[in-house]
Amino acid sequence: MKKIFIFISFVIFYSKSYAQTIPSIEPIFANSSDKIKGKLEYLASPYATAGDRLYMVGYQDGTFPDLGWHVQGEMGGVWCHPIKLMDGFEAEVKVNNQKYILSKADVFENYPFGNKLIYNSLSKDFTIQRLQFVPDGKNAVYVEFLIKNLSKKALNIELEIKGISNLMPVWLGERTQMFDGKDEAVFDNKKNLWMIKDQKNPWYLVYGSAIKGSAFGNEEILKHKPNVSITKTKYSLRILANGKGILPIVIAGSSKSENEAYRNFQDVSQNILNLAKAKKSRLEKVNELSKVTLSDKEIEEGFRWIKYDTDWLIRDVEGQGRGLCAGLPDYPWWFGVDNEYTLKGLIATGRKDLVYSTIDLIHSLSEKTNGNGRIVHEVSTNGAVFNPGNINETPQFASLIWEVFCWTGDKAFLNKYFSTIEKGLDWLLKENDKDGNLLPDGFGMMEIHGMNSEMIDVAVYTQKAFADAAQMAEVLGKITLAAAFKDKAEKLKLKINSDFWVEKSNSYADFIGSKGQALHLIEDAIVRADTLNKPWAVEELRKSKVEIEKETIDKNRGFVMHHNWVVNTPMEMGIADSEKALKALNTAQKFTNPYGMFVTGIDRDETAGAAEGSFVTNRKIFTYTGAVMTLPTGVQAVAENNYGRPDEAYSLLKRMLKSFSFALPGSIYEVSPDFGMFAQAWNMYAFGEPIIKQFFGIKPLAYLKTINISPLLPGKLTNGKIENVEIGDNAISLSFIQTAGTDTFEINQKKEWKVNFSQPMGKYAKWILNGKEISPKALNGKEIVELDGLRNKLVLVK
């Protein structure tokens, strides 16, 4: 009997004397409404098939070149942290004795839950699709080769899979006694799979198929990688005219035992359809929380995919914890500050579970490493700490805890971390503020050599931390402590607006330091600008150097030098005086290009305002010099909104979205438009903060069962809504319609909490609530009305 029967998602085919009913995941992909097709010119660039326990990184053309710089050439392939399993695999097919190598896919499609690669130019007789995804909670990836016979005759198919194992430790593995050994491979004929073990460690890779295969020729070696193992397997299929056949491959692993690796292999092999459906369904539910619908479909789609992208970055490592990594492919481990930004946006999207587990992970690693409240900067997935913490990360942790508490109202959560916040703020000033002026010394976000004096971002985030800690202390009944924290916050706010402000530059200073420090840094900055061929910056810096050299009094003061993005943090945190803020925001606009804000302003040139195109061109080494990044741009959007400039904030979001799907469909690169990490966690802050908390204006105090709403709408957003915004045990939805004469808002909530709706004083001539004209109360330059019940409609007449 030689027939192919297709039953919904099952393909029955025959391999010599071997018959097997194999479920296909093609219908699950076909039924997905969210997919984005990649660009032909970016097929030779990376993507991820992502999961929380394992992920696979390769090129969109289906190949697995050596890529990445953190561990040179090793950041791609299949990773099951804290170990790597494979460099990847190669495939070729022989159809009626004609050989075809699957070395370049014609089409790459990205889905929230997986990927599809299409080979449709090999032959007029057939096409091949490669469908793949990583099931939730499994140390395994599923890869399906789906072959469609387009001819009117049967095809005899021989498909050869070449696997390149590379069982090796993660970055910093040597610090926890993880040392690479030679991979030893054995084909188990009975189980029809390869079992590969690292000679020195209990690290295992298992891969194989439900289709009977035959192993051959595994004597090949790679001279530059002597520890890897090359394994080859042949599979034979016969596909009738206009029929289909599939080869399912499961790749699984373990850093503990052979049994665990094989169990993962079996679990996935035997439950593939249910696992695929479950992952697709879960990611659809991710979007249903804080679901945004906008008249601007570009922002709507971009934000939806940022939710998916964030999910790709979950690293769940046994013995360490579960939390968001910074980015792929080179930062697949955990960072303090990256999460301190990211989680502020994420908590507003309903991902409380992920926010909590990430905070718990960063906190436990910090306590284990430092024990004094200092928050770690960078930790590999084996628990090895590379950097115990830059100065800004400790105060930013305090503000993160307060923000999350405002959204959840969980007092046990606040109690759990408050002692660490107390210790951290004490460490911050006792150990890092030698002159006692409340301005800690040390590195902040700008890791430029020598920039470790009194940095603007460290000062700003320290001020915000004391202000937030004062509110936390008050909630916990620590009134005296609250007063002390509040006093420090008020003094710091005054210092930042006086000592850091440089009037002639209409900007806050990069740092406060001595004449000697400034001259040393300015020499380095001139070399940098000259090397990058930025004549305007060289001229400005040389002029500043002359002025500094003429100074007769060597007194510490603020210096504007690099025009680093961090000079905008006083506006991001809303502590800048309004007059200064508007001047500084206008100054910052000089340091943009079509994609957003420069990390370092002196890297800008005369073409920056209009130049578009790849950042990768002619870059032989990895460097952030000259970069425009999403974090500085997101910070600037938040800053613009804080001072009533939503149109400017909207423009910055649109700039960032020029990078959306530029190289990887569905993603925004770390460095715009196509450099660095192809998936970056802090994009959630760059979009979640301005969209949910500022455009829609949702700012809860869940512990008081109060939701403050103060929409700040860009003129170009004519209508929109956000649904199922989880706040404590409540949920709220909000919609708006802007017209020439009125703005209409509808606000619904699940439980009857206090809802305060406010707008700037005098913006509207008439307020109509649920059909009745009302008079709002005036408070602090705003007009406020308290809404009643579960459903409200507010019409504001201009």
Side-chain angles (χ1 to χ4, degrees), residues 4-45:
I4 298 177
F5 298 89
I6 302 176
F7 298 107
I8 308 177
S9 59
F10 289 84
V11 179
I12 301 179
F13 59 85
Y14 287 80
S15 170
K16 293 184 180 177
S17 60
Y18 179 79
Q20 177 74 39
T21 304
I22 303 293
S24 174
I25 61 173
E26 182 195 25
I28 298 171
F29 279 77
N31 290 331
S32 177
S33 59
D34 256 333
K35 71 174 181 181
I36 301 180
K37 182 180 177 181
K39 298 177 182 177
L40 184 64
E41 61 267 34
Y42 277 93
L43 286 175
S45 70

Side-chain angles (χ1 to χ4, degrees), residues 149-318:
N149 185 352
L150 306 178
S151 73
K152 295 180 180 180
K153 59 184 179 180
L155 297 179
N156 294 309
I157 308 286
E158 186 174 88
L159 208 156
E160 179 183 312
I161 301 295
K162 174 182 173 181
I164 304 99
S165 75
N166 189 5
L167 291 158
M168 61 170 282
V170 72
W171 179 60
L172 304 184
E174 71 282 356
R175 295 193 184 180
T176 55
Q177 302 305 303
M178 298 174 73
F179 298 102
D180 191 18
K182 170 68 179 171
D183 292 355
E184 299 174 328
V186 175
F187 188 76
D188 188 322
N189 281 292
K190 185 177 180 181
K191 293 180 179 177
N192 192 45
L193 53 77
W194 284 100
M195 181 68 73
I196 303 162
K197 181 187 182 299
D198 183 278
Q199 200 174 48
K200 293 182 178 179
N201 302 281
W203 305 338
Y204 290 86
L205 162 66
V206 178
Y207 84 92
S209 176
I211 304 303
K212 185 63 177 176
S214 58
F216 73 102
N218 65 327
E219 68 278 355
E220 184 180 345
I221 61 171
L222 296 179
K223 290 183 179 179
H224 69 295
K225 291 186 176 183
N227 286 345
V228 309
S229 178
I230 308 295
T231 53
K232 298 179 181 179
T233 322
K234 288 181 180 177
Y235 303 91
S236 297
L237 318 175
R238 179 174 173 81
I239 307 177
L240 294 188
N242 298 310
K244 298 179 184 180
I246 71 169
L247 175 68
I249 300 289
V250 174
I251 301 166
S254 171
S255 59
K256 291 172 58 180
S257 70
E258 177 181 345
N259 285 340
E260 183 177 81
Y262 181 63
R263 187 169 64 250
N264 276 295
F265 177 87
Q266 286 288 86
D267 286 349
V268 173
S269 298
Q270 294 171 5
N271 298 286
I272 195 62
L273 277 185
N274 289 335
L275 291 169
K277 290 175 183 176
K279 181 153 192 176
K280 176 176 178 288
S281 175
R282 183 183 64 77
L283 281 163
E284 288 171 346
K285 290 175 182 176
V286 163
N287 182 50
E288 289 302 312
L289 296 174
S290 295
K291 183 178 181 179
V292 170
T293 306
L294 297 171
S295 54
D296 188 319
K297 295 304 174 185
E298 185 182 47
I299 293 180
E300 178 186 322
E301 180 186 42
F303 186 52
R304 182 170 71 250
W305 276 85
I306 286 169
K307 292 181 186 179
Y308 302 147
D309 301 349
T310 306
D311 197 84
W312 301 347
L313 299 176
I314 301 171
R315 294 277 74 74
D316 192 336
V317 181
E318 189 173 350

Side-chain angles (χ1 to χ4, degrees), residues 378-585:
E378 184 175 9
V379 186
S380 190
T381 53
N382 62 338
V385 176
F386 178 70
N387 179 343
N390 292 332
I391 305 302
N392 60 297
E393 285 165 292
T394 295
Q396 284 187 262
F397 182 79
S399 293
L400 170 64
I401 297 303
W402 172 245
E403 182 71 8
V404 172
F405 174 67
C406 286
W407 278 81
T408 65
D410 183 352
K411 201 167 181 180
F413 169 86
L414 190 62
N415 269 307
K416 179 177 180 179
Y417 298 111
F418 188 74
S419 62
T420 296
I421 291 168
E422 277 191 271
K423 288 191 298 183
L425 294 179
D426 187 60
W427 168 83
L428 187 64
L429 295 184
K430 281 187 177 178
E431 298 296 323
N432 303 284
D433 180 27
K434 300 303 182 184
D435 60 5
N437 68 349
L438 297 180
L439 299 174
D441 295 85
F443 284 108
M445 287 299 293
M446 298 306 303
E447 295 175 335
I448 294 176
H449 181 70
M451 296 202 77
N452 59 346
S453 57
E454 293 173 346
M455 308 304 300
I456 180 62
D457 55 322
V458 172
V460 170
Y461 292 137
T462 296
Q463 190 281 336
K464 188 66 165 63
F466 277 110
D468 291 339
Q471 294 183 85
M472 288 185 268
E474 189 171 337
V475 169
L476 296 174
K478 300 175 183 288
I479 306 304
T480 302
L481 185 61
F485 284 163
K486 185 178 181 181
D487 180 64
K488 287 183 171 66
E490 290 173 349
K491 288 177 179 176
L492 273 166
K493 184 176 180 179
L494 290 173
K495 276 184 172 290
I496 290 164
N497 279 291
S498 57
D499 297 1
F500 275 97
W501 181 251
V502 181
E503 181 64 31
K504 66 179 180 180
S505 299
N506 283 327
S507 174
Y508 288 91
D510 291 289
F511 66 96
I512 290 176
S514 67
K515 176 180 177 179
Q517 285 176 312
L519 288 172
H520 177 74
L521 283 167
I522 213 164
E523 285 289 350
D524 291 344
I526 290 169
V527 170
R528 174 180 177 139
D530 191 45
T531 302
L532 292 173
N533 192 27
K534 312 296 180 185
W536 76 268
V538 173
E539 181 183 353
E540 178 183 298
L541 289 164
R542 284 176 175 165
K543 183 180 177 181
S544 295
K545 181 184 176 186
V546 170
E547 291 175 354
I548 295 168
E549 286 174 333
K550 288 179 180 178
E551 292 180 6
T552 56
I553 300 174
D554 187 8
K555 179 183 177 182
N556 283 11
R557 69 170 181 87
F559 292 92
V560 174
M561 189 173 296
H562 294 81
H563 300 288
N564 291 316
W565 68 270
V566 293
V567 300
N568 300 308
T569 54
M571 288 76 76
E572 178 206 12
M573 293 293 101
I575 63 169
D577 296 341
S578 293
E579 184 181 350
K580 293 183 175 73
L582 294 176
K583 290 179 181 179
L585 290 171

